[in-house]
Amino acid sequence: MEAADDSRAGMASATHLEVRRAGPEDAPAIAAVLHESFVEFKALYTEGGFAATTPGTEQVLTRMREWPIWVALREGAVMGTVAAAVKDESVYVRGMAMSPAAGAAGAGTALFQHVEGWVSSQGSGRLLLSTTPFLSSAIRLYERYGFRRTDEGLHDLFGMPLFTMEKAVERPPPSS
């Protein structure tokens, strides 16, 4: 069962950002944001690593069938996206990206807050993500949001070095 805050109705913030569960109609915009966000780093990726990081519309649709994906919108335009893949007691943040050209200020924080609320409602105890060492602005966002480096997880994606970061998530108190 999905959490109440996971509805398509979404949430608005003081910066007029809405975060909602993505639907199939959002797949082209999600693919575009992923590409826009990482294209400046393309030369630093291996071919396979860049392809995995910037899936096309059909791959985004496939991912939507595997795990939840959310979008942050401002005035109806997709400013950012994130997905969450549940594995054991952890939730892996996947495919997080913000639109560099669209003034996506606040989208990363709004998406993290939404995912953290969803993770807590699912009873998971921590968030994990893997990133490449050259994405310094993303790493700073992750650290500001409370993620810390760990030695676990994937350390290679199609020949690219990765490291894993984690954040503990408060679980809701047990129901009486």
Side-chain angles (χ1 to χ4, degrees):
M1 185 161 100
E2 293 185 1
D5 69 342
D6 196 23
S7 69
R8 301 266 313 157
M11 303 175 354
S13 73
T15 59
H16 306 295
L17 275 173
E18 173 192 7
V19 176
R20 66 164 169 78
R21 181 87 176 252
E25 70 280 5
D26 298 309
I30 291 169
V33 166
L34 287 164
H35 188 267
E36 291 168 11
S37 296
F38 295 102
V39 71
E40 73 178 278
F41 303 103
K42 186 175 183 177
L44 301 173
Y45 279 92
T46 62
E47 186 176 329
F50 188 73
T53 303
T54 59
T57 300
E58 290 304 315
Q59 292 168 300
V60 170
L61 288 167
T62 298
R63 288 180 179 185
M64 281 182 184
R65 291 187 287 274
E66 297 172 359
W67 54 68
I69 299 177
W70 294 273
V71 288
L73 302 112
R74 182 174 289 128
E75 296 179 11
V78 174
M79 299 285 105
T81 185
V82 67
V86 178
K87 184 175 181 187
D88 302 323
E89 291 291 312
S90 301
V91 173
Y92 289 80
V93 174
R94 301 286 312 266
M96 183 162 200
M98 281 7 98
S99 174
T109 299
L111 286 164
F112 268 137
Q113 289 171 346
H114 192 82
V115 168
E116 188 169 330
W118 181 82
V119 167
S120 179
S121 74
Q122 301 298 303
S124 296
R126 68 182 182 153
L127 283 167
L128 293 169
L129 61 82
S130 292
T131 190
T132 56
F134 55 81
L135 294 176
S136 54
S137 62
I139 293 165
R140 283 191 301 273
L141 170 68
Y142 305 150
E143 289 172 339
R144 276 195 312 271
Y145 200 71
F147 281 85
R148 298 294 171 248
R149 293 179 194 217
T150 177
D151 289 332
E152 83 181 79
L154 293 173
H155 294 285
D156 181 272
L157 175 69
F158 297 101
M160 289 182 353
L162 294 177
F163 64 87
T164 300
M165 300 180 81
E166 71 176 336
K167 179 182 181 181
V169 176
E170 287 190 39
R171 294 180 186 203
S175 311
S176 331

